[in-house]
């Protein structure tokens, strides 16, 4: 196990968790108690319109438990969001809507990233990462300007996975304003010249922040990102000449897929050698 | 009655005596209704009083530095002074190293030096031949009066028990204020008191202003052919209008005390005026407050101009045509009577204190100043905590002006993250009562908090909503509606925006209104938000047609709706009539 934990890895893990969490949770529940079943959308609708908080929360739980079948209830949850409800109901509703991953839900969720209650607006931003679509991208780009640092962070980390290339200027602006989560998204979205721009932040922003973006670039599929750009990134790290850079590249070398470019791997290995990056540490053994 | 008063004073004061004539500073003097002082004035009226040159004398670390206001010369004198120097006519007087020193005001040349007997300078006067000096202990008391001839001969010395103020001299007659109400006319040659003036107002200064002698402290009375009537307040009186000014500045300090050589806050908060008979030269007087100087109307105290200096104004004088203001960085700033920049002269070094004599100097007309709102705006831009009192005063003055530009200044102030909370609150209050400058408000409302562009303080939405609503400015509606759903705005601003939208909203704002209503009807956690939701509900009923009414009606029925909101919604929309049963259904039932 490598001792260095990179923000990039953390961000990637978080994203993976954020997008997969409902499924995982549902799986957990499946093991424990409920198996995904069909739902009675009309009944769900009636419960969500009951005005009874307990019943509404129970209905939301039912939708969540139903996994894919719950998608049938998405319009009723969207209607609930449009009507408004108490903070617990809204937060849960947004969470469940996110889990249903219906791009059509983004329009109903979007206004909530600006809610005055932090819990609600953060739930909304997280939900938008999962529902996606143009409305989500639009709202998350706007969320980068939010007074709430958490909302900014969620938006910055999610725009990359939503493949929102149009958000790149905003992401760079956010990165310049120390929204570190933007680096990973930039790494996911950038074209070579934009990736170079990200590399320009080396030495200006914390190393872990910039490498969270580099990590995305280096591990983008060979079809999506050519060897030349990856080698340039390795070169930038090598030029940095720090132990951190060496350790990071050693970590990259370890994770490098066996069937991926040998040229890039050689460049990484050469840089690790030159920088004296640790390939294993006594503490890890 | 008067006799009793004088007897009382007699019990307190001892008497100094000189040779011959009436005893000087005698507390047994009886009010003569102005006869004796009128006689003295008539006797010496022909003796001209030299106004002296316009000169500023700065206290430096090492001594004194003089600069002529017309820029014709500068001088320096080594020797640390222990009190603020005094300038009268052609002479500068200071106490330094246990001596009283007189310097030529134009050249700084030493004229004479005499023993101060451990006392410090209170003030001095000069008639071109004799210099009269008032001295005392820096901690109060120990009054001493000296008359010194040009050759340094002390021709008269008194050590009265009464506290004497700043003296003047004309035609060999010393005019010495004391006891806060008297001016004794003392024949320096004979050493006796030849007349006395009783004033109903505080008097501790006899001062040569532009070649005329004036007595007073809070106000002045000129020593002229009407001086005999001054006791009945029929003299040539010069009074500044009463108005509340920042820091409560004074025209003259108490002349019976020693003013410290280094300017204190008192010297940084002052009034300056140049009397011309019973009026003020140019119809203006100036008030200073650290780095701000203001020109005010002589009769009504109305603010006419404001100037901001690079460092504190620590001394100055009203002159013919304007004002000369000494600043701590060693500059004498000249402003004409309308506040125009008439240039400056410099000491070439920072100064700690400053005495200015206007003398015969006239401030020439300067460059036309910017309009008053801009002048005030510049003064308010100074981000120094100690300026806040003056800035609040100026802000109130600004708020009273109708120009649209004023609205912009207030908006800028309210939007600036560096504005102090006190000024911010004032600016917001004034903004809400503006009825001009709607364009500036609309421009401001188009902005929102934006982390990425460093707009970190949202515009003053609430006050502008109040104002735009009062102006019936329908163009504000879409902008206000957008602000409703911006969490960076305060709940109070949201409440006021919603109130304005109750009146201004059109169907174009329906979506924003519905969104706000949905977001907060069940989550409002502050009174202001509850009020805002109710305002929006009223707007929805007004402009939303059946759909708007339905939204409100549904919310009124929903148990999740905030109870206060639910109660407020109750009366807004009549309950829906129960649907009529279809005839077929009726038949089936039957």
């Amino acid at each position: 196990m490598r001792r260095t934990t990179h923000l990039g890895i953390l961000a990637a893990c978080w994203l993976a968790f954020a997008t997969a969490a409902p499924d995982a949770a549902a799986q957990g529940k499946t093991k424990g108690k409920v198996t995904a079943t069909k739902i009675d959308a009309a009944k769900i609708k009636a419960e969500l319109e009951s005005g009874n908080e307990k019943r509404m929360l129970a209905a939301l739980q039912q939708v969540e438990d139903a996994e894919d079948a719950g998608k049938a209830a998405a319009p009723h949850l969207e209607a609930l969001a449009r009507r408004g409800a108490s903070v617990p109901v809204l937060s849960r509703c947004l969470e469940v809507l996110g889990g249903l991953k219906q791009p059509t839900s983004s329009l109903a969720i979007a206004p909530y990233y600006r809610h005055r209650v932090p819990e609600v607006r953060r739930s909304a931003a997280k939900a938008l990462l999962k529902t996606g679509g143009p409305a989500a991208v639009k709202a998350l780009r706007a969320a980068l300007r939010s007074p709430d640092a958490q909302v900014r962070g969620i938006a910055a980390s999610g725009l990359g996975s939503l493949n929102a290339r149009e958000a790149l200027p905003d992401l760079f602006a956010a990165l310049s304003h120390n929204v570190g989560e933007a680096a990973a998204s930039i790494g996911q979205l950038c074209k070579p010249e934009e990736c170079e721009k990200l590399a320009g932040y080396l030495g200006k922003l914390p190393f872990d922040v910039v490498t969270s973006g580099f990590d995305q670039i280096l591990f983008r599929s060979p079809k999506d990102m050519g060897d030349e750009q990856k080698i340039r990134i390795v070169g930038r790290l090598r030029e940095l000449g720090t132990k951190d850079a060496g350790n990071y590249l050693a970590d990259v070398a370890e994770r490098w897929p066996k069937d991926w470019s040998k040229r890039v791997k050689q460049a990484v290995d050469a840089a690790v050698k030159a920088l004296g990056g640790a390939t294993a540490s006594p503490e890890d053994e | 009655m008067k006799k009793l008063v004088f007897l009382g004073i007699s019990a307190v004061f001892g008497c100094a005596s000189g040779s011959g004539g009436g005893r000087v500073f005698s507390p047994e003097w009886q009010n003569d209704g102005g006869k004796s002082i009128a006689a003295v004035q008539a006797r010496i009226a022909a003796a001209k009083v030299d106004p002296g040159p316009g000169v500023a004398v700065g206290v430096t670390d090492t001594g004194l530095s003089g600069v002529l206001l017309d820029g014709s010369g500068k001088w320096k004198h080594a020797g640390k002074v222990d009190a603020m120097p005094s300038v009268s006519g052609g002479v500068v007087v200071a106490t330094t190293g246990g001596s009283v020193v007189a310097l030529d005001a134009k050249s700084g040349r030493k004229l004479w030096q005499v023993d101060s007997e451990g006392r410090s300078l209170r003030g001095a006067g000069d008639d071109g031949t004799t210099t009269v000096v008032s001295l005392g202990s820096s901690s109060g008391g120990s009054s001493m009066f000296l008359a010194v001839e040009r050759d340094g001969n002390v021709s008269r010395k008194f050590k009265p028990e009464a506290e004497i103020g700043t003296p003047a001299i004309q035609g060999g007659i010393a005019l010495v204020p004391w006891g806060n109400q008297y001016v004794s006319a003392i024949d320096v040659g004979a050493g006796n008191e030849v007349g006395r003036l009783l004033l109903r107002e505080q008097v501790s200064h006899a001062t040569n202003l532009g070649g005329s002698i004036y007595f007073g402290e809070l106000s002045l009375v000129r020593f002229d052919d009407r001086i005999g009537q001054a006791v009945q307040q029929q003299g040539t009186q010069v009074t500044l209008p009463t108005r509340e000014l920042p820091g409560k500045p004074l025209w003259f300090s108490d002349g019976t005390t020693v003013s410290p050589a280094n300017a204190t806050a008192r010297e940084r908060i002052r009034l300056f005026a140049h009397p011309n008979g019973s009026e003020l030269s140019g119809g203006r007087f100036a008030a200073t407050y650290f780095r701000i100087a203001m020109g005010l109307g002589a009769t009504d105290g109305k603010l006419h101009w404001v100037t901001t200096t690079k460092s504190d104004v620590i001394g100055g004088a009203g002159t013919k045509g304007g004002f000369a203001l000494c600043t701590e960085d060693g500059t004498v700033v000249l402003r004409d009577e309308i506040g125009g920049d008439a240039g400056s002269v410099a000491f070439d070094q920072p100064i700690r204190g400053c005495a200015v004599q206007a003398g015969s100097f006239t401030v020439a007309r300067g460059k036309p100043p910017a309009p008053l709102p801009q002048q005030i705006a510049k003064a308010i831009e100074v981000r120094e905590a100690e300026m806040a009192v003056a800035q609040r005063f100026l802000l109130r003055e600004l708020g009273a002006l109708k120009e649209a530009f004023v609205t912009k200044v207030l908006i800028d102030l309210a939007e600036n993250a560096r504005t102090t909370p006190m000024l911010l609150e004032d600016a917001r209050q004034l903004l809400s009562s503006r009825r001009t400058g709607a364009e500036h408000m609309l421009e401001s409302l188009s902005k929102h908090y934006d982390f990425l562009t460093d707009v970190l303080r949202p515009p003053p939405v609430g006050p502008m909503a109040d104002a735009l609503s009062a102006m019936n400015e329908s163009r504000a509606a879409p902008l206000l509606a957008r602000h409703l759903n911006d969490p960076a705005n305060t709940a109070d601003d949201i409440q006021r925006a919603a109130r304005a939208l109750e009146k201004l909203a059109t169907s174009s704002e329906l979506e924003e209104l519905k969104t706000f209503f949905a977001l907060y009807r069940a989550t409002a956690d502050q009174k202001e938000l509850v009020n805002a939701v109710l305002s929006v509900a009223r707007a929805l009923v007004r402009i939303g047609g059946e759909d708007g009414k339905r939204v409100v009606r549904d919310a009124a029925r929903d148990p999740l709706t905030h109870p206060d909101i639910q109660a407020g919604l109750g009366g807004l929309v009549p309950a829906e009539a129960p649907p009529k049963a279809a005839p077929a259904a009726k038949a089936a039932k039957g």
Side-chain angles (χ1 to χ4, degrees), chain B residues 215-419:
Chain B
F215 307 127
E217 185 181 308
L218 302 175
S219 62
L220 297 179
V221 61
R222 189 166 69 173
F223 184 51
D224 60 15
D225 57 6
R226 291 173 62 189
I227 194 69
Q229 300 157 52
V231 70
Q232 292 94 28
Q233 294 181 306
Q234 302 290 309
T236 308
Q237 187 95 10
V238 192
T239 308
L240 303 185
T242 308
R243 79 162 291 185
E244 197 71 25
L245 289 168
K248 300 189 182 352
L250 298 173
W251 193 359
F252 291 93
S253 58
D254 178 358
T256 63
T257 60
V258 174
S259 292
N262 294 346
T264 62
R266 208 61 271 174
E267 280 74 42
R268 292 163 209 261
I269 303 170
R270 282 282 308 274
L271 298 176
F272 300 107
H274 187 75
N276 178 18
S278 60
E279 295 177 347
L280 297 184
S281 178
R284 299 278 183 274
F285 69 101
T288 62
Y289 190 93
F290 298 93
R291 287 181 55 195
I292 292 173
M294 298 172 279
L296 301 141
T299 51
D300 53 7
K302 190 181 160 202
L303 181 70
H304 287 273
W305 55 262
V306 181
T307 195
T308 311
T309 54
K310 285 181 187 156
S311 60
D312 290 358
V313 177
I314 55 171
T319 70
K320 282 182 206 153
F323 300 89
L325 306 168
C326 250
T327 60
E328 204 163 22
D329 63 357
T331 308
V332 184
V333 172
L334 303 174
R335 288 286 177 270
D336 68 22
E337 55 208 26
I338 60 164
D341 179 357
S344 64
V345 289
F347 290 103
D348 298 333
Q349 63 184 316
I351 52 169
R352 293 163 168 264
C354 187
V356 182
Q357 171 179 267
S360 55
F361 179 71
T362 300
V363 170
R365 182 50 65 98
K367 295 174 204 154
L372 183 58
Q374 275 94 328
Q375 295 174 38
I376 296 176
K378 194 178 171 198
I380 291 170
E381 272 170 23
V382 177
R383 308 279 175 218
E384 285 174 22
E386 66 181 7
M387 308 296 284
V389 175
Q391 288 173 329
R392 287 191 85 185
F393 169 85
L394 289 173
L395 205 53
R396 284 195 296 274
E397 293 284 327
L398 189 69
L401 303 174
K402 299 276 182 272
E403 287 93 326
F405 174 78
V406 171
T407 305
K408 179 166 172 24
V409 174
L410 294 171
I411 292 169
D412 289 348
L413 208 55
E415 284 179 350
N416 194 322
R418 290 173 62 209
T419 301

Side-chain angles (χ1 to χ4, degrees), chain B residues 108-129:
Chain B
R109 180 177 58 89
K110 187 156 89 177
L111 300 173
W112 48 256
Q113 180 170 349
V114 299
D115 188 2
S116 68
E117 298 187 22
R119 291 166 170 84
S120 300
L121 182 71
R122 287 179 181 166
D126 187 86
D127 68 355
T129 310

Side-chain angles (χ1 to χ4, degrees), chain A residues 172 175 183 186-187 190-207 209-215 217-218 229-240:
Chain A
F172 273 111
L175 189 61
I186 293 171
C190 63
K191 285 191 172 164
E193 63 277 16
E194 293 147 352
C195 298
E196 280 303 301
K197 191 176 168 187
L198 174 65
Y201 283 91
L202 261 182
K204 294 175 190 163
L205 291 175
F207 182 74
V209 168
V210 184
T211 52
S212 68
F214 285 178
D215 217 58
I217 297 170
L218 293 171
Q229 183 55 42
K230 291 182 181 177
I231 291 168
R232 264 201 295 274
I233 293 294
V234 174
R236 293 296 286 258
L237 286 161
R238 187 174 172 163
E239 282 164 25
L240 203 61

